[in-house]
Amino acid sequence: MNKNYKKTKLACYMGFITQAITANFVPLLYLTFYKMYEISLAKIAMISTTFFVTQLIVDFLCVKLADKMGYRKSIILSEIMAGTGLVMLSFVPDIMPDHYMGIILCTIVYAIGSGLIEVLCSPIIEACPFENKAGMMTLLHSFYCWGSVGVIFLSTIFFKVFGIDRWRILALIWTLVPLLNIYNFATCPIEPITEENEGMKLSKLFKQKLFWLFIILMVCAGACEIAMGQWASTFVESALHVSKSVGDLAGPCAFALFMGVSRVLYSKYGEKRNLTVFMMICGILCLSSYLIASLTSLSIMGLIGCMLCGFSVGIMWPGSISIASKKMPKAGTALFAFLALAGDLGGALGPAVVGTVSQRASDDLKAGILAGILFPIVLIICTIFLNKKNPDT
């Protein structure tokens, strides 16, 4: 009766900040790795691929892992792996004969932690006895956005003051976040998402048509977010005529900021709103942002389209999780794991579609972004179908 679930919230918030650190810190060092270790750009691109592929594998393994180990042990393991990977980053690439393989090894270690966080924090919050669960879920996911903004902004200041060559020290400083959060997860109340032996079996889950609809919804949510987010810096560079380094920082930072604002606004004012309809509206807004960015001849409109997209996709990922958990309460950990897997799959598929179409259109990025409208269109169709079947969601 006297459990302090505020501590659980704090731990999960810091968990998503940890995930933001693992996802955004190393990309800031790509140019440094290119110059310092003489790593080709093709190999550097594989660092990001390794991160997301590792997360996909962890998402899949979490279907069984979390239930066998227990949520507390699993989420503590996530912080240990994330912290260990960041600590390793400060020295492993330098001591290994192949610097690139050293970076890849560190990436795999902290990506395991990131993947576990992605799967586990959502059901931990969902299991807590909060009234506005959709709002709480959206607020939780906003901390990934604030973490991203903080990592990009504070790292930029650190590099400006102390120099980019001190990046190893900053890696150790960022390690403090997951290490401190180990204590939070070790001492906060954590409730089971389903009672023991009450979780739905995978064979039964896979037979549910609604489950596959949510999988498609999550694929589209991930694709809508990452397909535009990956090219955010390009739009900023073009619109503001700034250097590529400034564009790389300001673009993703602005995108994450607007995404975070969207999530906070919904968590505060969206309790009495129909979440499915709200996601439908966000899908239409996202579709509009893609059309603005791809069809306008004014470079500044590309920037506006990018920021509008950040705002529109904010609710998609956490909103899909909230609707799915409400409609399939007995699905347990497997549901959250497969939703995370689908979201990451969309995050890989979206940029791939944009990049492939752009290449075939003589490196015309606008053509690639235009092809990306497929994802918000499918998302809108899914939400229309969901609203007809479940008008009160």
Side-chain angles (χ1 to χ4, degrees), residues 25-103:
F25 177 61
V26 169
L28 299 178
L29 302 171
Y30 283 170
L31 186 60
T32 301
F33 293 159
Y34 171 74
K35 294 178 179 178
M36 179 180 295
Y37 298 128
E38 297 181 347
I39 301 172
S40 68
L41 292 178
K43 283 187 173 182
I44 285 177
M46 287 301 297
I47 298 174
S48 179
T49 302
T50 300
F51 179 81
F52 284 106
V53 168
T54 303
Q55 281 205 157
L56 281 168
I57 295 172
V58 171
D59 292 343
F60 180 77
L61 294 178
C62 253
V63 174
K64 295 293 185 181
L65 178 66
D67 286 332
K68 286 185 177 181
M69 286 185 58
Y71 271 55
R72 192 179 303 278
K73 290 180 181 179
S74 299
I75 196 64
I76 289 175
L77 177 63
S78 75
E79 298 289 351
I80 292 173
M81 295 300 288
T84 300
L86 290 170
V87 169
M88 290 171 59
L89 187 66
S90 67
F91 69 92
V92 169
D94 292 315
I95 65 174
M96 287 189 66
D98 188 335
H99 304 305
Y100 172 69
M101 290 309 299
I103 296 171

Side-chain angles (χ1 to χ4, degrees), residues 158-319:
F158 181 92
F159 295 147
K160 188 72 175 178
V161 174
F162 299 103
I164 192 70
D165 57 316
R166 302 291 180 88
W167 62 268
R168 297 173 187 82
I169 296 175
L170 186 56
L172 293 175
I173 293 174
W174 285 127
T175 302
L176 294 176
V177 176
L179 294 184
L180 289 173
N181 209 28
I182 291 173
Y183 172 78
N184 290 331
F185 277 123
T187 56
C188 73
I190 296 179
E191 304 294 342
I193 189 67
T194 57
E195 294 300 324
E196 190 174 355
N197 299 323
E198 284 190 5
M200 190 182 297
K201 293 183 178 180
L202 289 181
S203 57
K204 186 176 180 181
L205 182 64
F206 291 157
K207 291 179 182 178
Q208 303 288 320
K209 293 181 180 179
L210 197 59
F211 167 75
W212 293 107
L213 181 61
F214 285 127
I215 291 296
I216 295 172
L217 195 64
M218 279 298 292
V219 168
C220 292
C224 287
E225 177 181 329
I226 306 300
M228 179 67 82
Q230 178 171 299
W231 301 108
S233 61
T234 304
F235 284 121
V236 171
E237 184 184 351
S238 172
L240 303 181
H241 304 289
V242 295
S243 67
K244 180 167 178 24
S245 59
V246 173
D248 286 342
L249 297 178
C253 198
F255 184 88
L257 177 64
F258 275 79
M259 187 163 61
V261 168
S262 171
R263 290 174 174 176
V264 169
L265 288 176
Y266 183 83
S267 70
K268 189 173 183 179
Y269 301 108
E271 182 178 1
K272 297 181 180 180
R273 305 290 186 273
N274 184 312
L275 180 54
T276 308
V277 172
F278 195 85
M279 283 186 60
M280 191 189 309
I281 294 171
C282 287
I284 295 171
L285 191 63
C286 181
L287 174 61
S288 302
S289 70
Y290 270 75
L291 291 173
I292 291 172
S294 61
L295 298 178
T296 182
S297 59
L298 298 175
S299 58
I300 191 65
M301 293 302 292
L303 174 62
I304 293 174
C306 173
M307 289 189 282
L308 181 65
C309 183
F311 187 85
S312 68
V313 300
I315 190 61
M316 291 180 180
W317 190 299

Side-chain angles (χ1 to χ4, degrees), residues 151-162:
V151 171
I152 295 169
F153 182 71
L154 294 176
S155 295
T156 303
I157 293 176
F158 181 92
F159 295 147
K160 188 72 175 178
V161 174
F162 299 103

Side-chain angles (χ1 to χ4, degrees), residues 5 8 12 71 120-130 133 137 189-195 325 336:
Y5 290 104
T8 308
C12 290
Y71 271 55
L120 297 172
C121 279
S122 293
I124 287 174
I125 286 293
E126 184 67 24
C128 292
F130 299 127
K133 297 227 174 163
M137 186 68 69
I190 296 179
E191 304 294 342
I193 189 67
T194 57
E195 294 300 324
S325 61
F336 290 91

